[in-house]
Amino acid sequence: MTIATRSSQDTIALFEKYVIPNYRRSPVCLVRGEGSQVWDAEGRRYLDLFPGWGCNILGYCPPRVVEAIREQATRLIHVPNTWYIEAQGEFAEILSTRAFGKAFFCNSGAEAIEAAIKLARLHTPEGRHKIVSFHNSFHGRTYAAVTATAQPKYHEGIGPMMAGFRYAPFNDLDAVESLVDEETAAILIEPVQGEGGINIPDEDFLPGLRKIADEAGCLLIFDEVQTGMGRTGTWFAFQQAGVRPDIMTMAKGLAGGVACGGILASEEVAPSLRLGMHASTFGGNPLAMAAGIATARTIEEDGLLENCREMSARFRGRFEKLKDELPIIAEVRVKGLMVGLELTVPAMPVVGKCMERGVLVNATHDTVVRHLPALSITAEEVDEGAHAIAEVLRNYV
Ligand SMILES: *Cc1c(COP(=O)(O)O)cnc(C)c1O
């Protein structure tokens, strides 16, 4: 079945004429999806191990989210923050009771980072403005977020960058200690680096950052845009680190694929985002909030945190075994359903070859094949995907 009125080629022609070419796109037009499967305009089926860049945390068109959006759209689509809406209060309650603090909503990850940085500067005393972030981090593309993103390739040609940012190597507590001073407002870190190649911190690293922040009197911000909403097998990644951040950012899977971002800030820090100091016109709108509530309910009612941990172990088992067989796999890095294969060769050709076999994966940081599958992925789908990737890697030339 197809609902497309144009072929993939005809749609691509429209893009060539009318859309700014700032993205590298696969030459395929997707038209319909269900769970971990998606179909193109020609009716070809793909198994997607990277649905929606991690935003489709429940896969394509999760039924309860679709129903919640449908129902909400008949009553109110948009209401700005000059009014109260039940869904925003309820979604904030859901997030707070599964994590901590109070919520502010926006529409994307970068916007959540902007809010977190602004709040950290507002909360800490006058003169504290510096933000310490980490090499190979990724925090988004708006100016503060991309300045915090410590990868030179994302800064090329767009300077001057924002003032007040300092960068430390990941997993290096001594370096952080030497960068943090009386001008530091916050340390900002992804509890597992995503775009940087699925980099998992040493056990003492996140607790060490908490200690440094407390001693220095600055805040600790966790960017859980990619790691949140069950992605790592708990609601949020901080819950496995044994420390709580002062501010946490969220987006990607937050509303099951509907554009939605937000922060949670501790009870102590939250009031510093005082009246009139920040806003987002679309932030916390009824449609996104209804989708977010339905996403959270689905995760709990369907036992998807458990499924995440089980499918994580299944991926790990398959890929560890493959690593023993194939020397081009240098390392297998798995945290929940963040699954990275570090290769000794470029990862990009693997993406194209997997697509030819009907399996969608991502390449990041030059040599890492990255998977962010839906939390609802089945054992059969894991096996199908792992088999295709194994065949592609066995034939890598
Ligand atoms: C994707 C991502 C962002 C940016 O989110 P956008 O919605 O694209 O602005 C920020 N932080 C992390 C950790 C991400 O993975």
Side-chain angles (χ1 to χ4, degrees), residues 155-208:
H155 296 179
E156 261 170 41
I158 61 165
M161 308 308 290
M162 248 180 99
F165 286 74
R166 299 289 182 276
Y167 309 125
F170 197 69
N171 272 333
D172 188 341
L173 286 172
D174 292 340
V176 178
E177 191 116 47
S178 67
L179 284 174
V180 168
D181 59 22
E182 65 286 347
E183 293 187 331
T184 306
I187 300 168
L188 165 63
I189 188 159
E190 296 157 83
V192 177
Q193 286 187 334
E195 194 269 357
I198 316 290
N199 302 320
I200 300 163
D202 298 339
E203 204 138 297
D204 63 346
F205 186 56
L206 298 174

Side-chain angles (χ1 to χ4, degrees), residues 75-139:
R75 288 188 293 128
L76 289 170
I77 290 177
H78 182 60
V79 172
N81 286 295
T82 33
W83 309 97
Y84 292 94
I85 55 160
E86 183 183 352
Q88 189 179 132
E90 191 178 329
F91 193 35
E93 179 189 33
I94 287 172
L95 294 170
S96 176
T97 50
R98 279 142 193 85
F100 62 89
K102 288 195 161 123
F104 162 82
F105 292 103
C106 51
N107 311 288
S108 68
E111 269 182 277
I113 293 289
E114 300 286 330
I117 290 172
K118 200 188 266 190
L119 173 53
R121 287 181 172 179
L122 281 167
H123 182 75
T124 48
E126 192 76 32
R128 281 193 180 265
H129 66 280
K130 285 186 196 161
I131 307 293
V132 175
S133 64
F134 293 85
H135 295 165
N136 297 327
S137 57
F138 186 82
H139 300 294

Side-chain angles (χ1 to χ4, degrees), residues 77-371:
I77 290 177
H78 182 60
V79 172
N81 286 295
T82 33
W83 309 97
Y84 292 94
I85 55 160
E86 183 183 352
Q88 189 179 132
E90 191 178 329
F91 193 35
E93 179 189 33
I94 287 172
L95 294 170
S96 176
T97 50
R98 279 142 193 85
F100 62 89
K102 288 195 161 123
F104 162 82
F105 292 103
C106 51
N107 311 288
S108 68
E111 269 182 277
I113 293 289
E114 300 286 330
I117 290 172
K118 200 188 266 190
L119 173 53
R121 287 181 172 179
L122 281 167
H123 182 75
T124 48
E126 192 76 32
R128 281 193 180 265
H129 66 280
K130 285 186 196 161
I131 307 293
V132 175
S133 64
F134 293 85
H135 295 165
N136 297 327
S137 57
F138 186 82
H139 300 294
R141 303 302 196 114
T142 55
Y143 265 96
V146 80
T147 304
T149 295
Q151 299 195 52
K153 67 179 177 190
Y154 293 131
H155 296 179
E156 261 170 41
I158 61 165
M161 308 308 290
M162 248 180 99
F165 286 74
R166 299 289 182 276
Y167 309 125
F170 197 69
N171 272 333
D172 188 341
L173 286 172
D174 292 340
V176 178
E177 191 116 47
S178 67
L179 284 174
V180 168
D181 59 22
E182 65 286 347
E183 293 187 331
T184 306
I187 300 168
L188 165 63
I189 188 159
E190 296 157 83
V192 177
Q193 286 187 334
E195 194 269 357
I198 316 290
N199 302 320
I200 300 163
D202 298 339
E203 204 138 297
D204 63 346
F205 186 56
L206 298 174
L209 294 180
R210 178 72 271 178
K211 194 157 164 280
I212 292 171
D214 290 343
E215 285 170 6
C218 70
L219 300 185
L220 180 61
I221 305 170
F222 279 1
D223 180 354
E224 295 237 23
V225 166
Q226 194 165 139
T227 52
M229 293 304 275
R231 172 62 66 197
T232 67
T234 48
W235 269 104
F236 295 95
F238 82 85
Q239 289 157 327
Q240 292 171 64
V243 290
R244 218 185 69 179
D246 303 292
I247 307 171
M248 173 170 88
T249 59
M250 304 167 287
K252 293 225 160 84
L254 187 55
V258 174
C260 185
I263 64 170
L264 286 173
S266 70
E267 293 287 345
E268 193 206 332
V269 172
S272 294
L273 204 62
R274 53 181 197 272
L275 201 60
M277 278 313 290
H278 199 57
S280 166
T281 303
F282 275 122
N285 67 77
L287 218 50
M289 297 295 102
I293 293 166
T295 301
R297 287 202 182 128
T298 303
I299 289 171
E300 284 179 352
E301 286 165 14
D302 290 0
L304 295 184
L305 297 178
E306 294 76 26
N307 192 62
C308 174
R309 296 191 287 262
E310 282 169 26
M311 295 306 112
S312 173
R314 198 172 184 95
F315 269 114
R316 187 193 291 278
R318 302 281 308 221
F319 286 147
E320 288 288 358
K321 211 163 131 225
L322 194 62
K323 177 176 175 286
D324 292 339
E325 177 195 328
L326 297 176
I328 64 165
I329 302 178
E331 197 178 16
V332 177
R333 295 194 288 268
V334 179
K335 187 78 175 176
L337 284 174
M338 299 177 85
V339 181
L341 296 179
E342 173 89 55
L343 306 182
T344 59
V345 292
M348 196 46 107
V350 175
V351 174
K353 291 286 181 204
C354 281
M355 207 174 90
E356 285 170 21
R357 288 176 178 269
V359 175
L360 307 183
V361 300
N362 170 255
T364 191
H365 217 69
D366 301 332
T367 52
V368 180
V369 181
R370 177 170 52 154
H371 318 78

